[in-house]
Amino acid sequence: MKSNSTKKLALAGVLCAVAVAGSMFSFPVFASKCAPVQHMVNVLCAVFLGPWYGLAAAFAASLLRNLLGLGSLLAFPGSMCGALLCGLAWRTSKNLWLTLAAEVFGTGIVGGLLAYPVAVAFMGADAGAVAFTAYIAPFLVSTAGGSILAGALVFTLQKSGALRSLRGALEH
């Protein structure tokens, strides 16, 4: 049991590092910095580690990105909502399409809506100047790109049989 937890924690750390390093490849969309690698990592965490490790990795990556000046406070609601929802989707269904849709919905819609109060409360955004739905479009752009990358990678791993082997290595 301890070895299993150690493997999962190590993989979560590696995926967190990938998300932080990948955030250097971000691009602006309206008032948001889009980092699609974070969303790819969310899906990979869902498939390999489950919702709670995915949520923890998203939180750690968001925190590190903010401490290193590579992200904004908006990284928290976006990445964490997507990580949790896609982790729960994978856990309950093992369906890749549903997991990808849950990442897009969790980040793009739920995270986009939660970004508004974060921006107003902590980032000094003018509530009148920023529409309640202002963060949905950039979050959808970011998560769609990352979900496509993750979908291609996980689909390839499934087709080759490597996904079963990798998941089995984490279980034992």
Side-chain angles (χ1 to χ4, degrees), residues 42-114:
N42 284 352
V43 174
L44 295 177
C45 282
V47 170
F48 289 112
L49 302 171
W52 308 117
Y53 279 97
L55 181 63
F59 174 79
S62 296
L63 182 63
L64 288 170
R65 287 171 54 201
N66 273 273
L67 291 174
L68 296 171
L70 299 172
S72 73
L73 291 176
L74 303 179
F76 288 99
S79 66
M80 292 173 65
C81 291
L84 180 61
L85 287 183
C86 75
L88 291 170
W90 180 263
R91 174 184 271 176
T92 58
S93 72
K94 301 293 190 266
N95 181 305
L96 179 59
W97 296 109
L98 182 62
T99 303
L100 296 173
E103 166 61 26
V104 171
F105 178 76
T107 296
I109 306 300
V110 178
L113 291 173
L114 289 175

Side-chain angles (χ1 to χ4, degrees), residues 111-164:
L113 291 173
L114 289 175
Y116 175 80
V118 170
V120 170
F122 300 109
M123 298 173 65
D126 180 15
V130 179
F132 186 65
T133 57
Y135 297 106
I136 292 175
F139 281 26
L140 281 172
V141 168
S142 184
T143 191
S147 294
I148 290 168
L149 291 171
L153 180 59
V154 173
F155 180 75
T156 302
L157 292 172
Q158 280 179 328
K159 287 293 259 189
S160 70
L163 182 63
R164 183 176 298 128

